[in-house]
Amino acid sequence: MDVPNYDGRIFRPLGNPPDAPTGRYHQNGKLIWAEFGGGRLYFGRLVGTCDGDGVITATYCQLATDGTVTAGQVTSTPAYTPAGTLTLTEHYHRLDGATGTSVIEEVDPSLAPPPPDSLTS
């Protein structure tokens, strides 16, 4: 598998459900960061590193529209669908003890979240 460069890529939950959070990823060498928002999230941030296989290890924090804050750690493993779409399988562990797995997929850049300063409460 080709190791992806994440800079400028946009991801949403698998299947691209309506009103789903959308994240824009950035990469500078091994450093990875992302901002995301939409749906039930005002905004969130992710910061971490990427290894030589493209696996991201990061921490995240997000603010939901109901005012709750969620934070935790995530390990995201890249893969490509048969159609060539980049996916990330995310294994997360939240600070509240919850764990789980989710899958996000690359989508069209026009679906990127607005910049944080344009979000309103």
Side-chain angles (χ1 to χ4, degrees):
M1 179 182 89
D2 290 334
V3 176
N5 181 309
Y6 296 103
D7 197 45
R9 293 184 186 249
I10 309 299
F11 291 90
R12 293 186 91 182
L14 189 64
N16 201 7
D19 203 26
T22 303
R24 177 183 299 274
Y25 281 62
H26 308 277
Q27 182 172 359
N28 183 354
K30 292 182 178 183
L31 302 177
I32 298 286
W33 66 99
E35 60 275 343
F36 48 92
R40 62 176 185 76
L41 295 179
Y42 276 128
F43 61 86
R45 298 288 181 272
L46 174 141
V47 294
T49 58
C50 177
D51 71 15
D53 293 325
V55 175
I56 298 170
T57 302
T59 58
Y60 65 91
C61 186
Q62 58 194 29
L63 174 63
T65 55
D66 67 2
T68 59
V69 175
T70 305
Q73 298 176 331
V74 63
T75 301
S76 301
T77 304
Y80 289 93
T81 67
T85 302
L86 177 61
T87 64
L88 292 173
T89 299
E90 304 178 307
H91 299 280
Y92 61 86
H93 183 103
R94 295 182 181 156
L95 290 180
D96 66 7
T99 61
T101 302
S102 59
V103 179
I104 59 176
E105 64 183 340
E106 186 174 15
V107 296
D108 185 285
S110 68
L111 297 174
D117 59 346
S118 69
L119 296 172
T120 59
S121 55

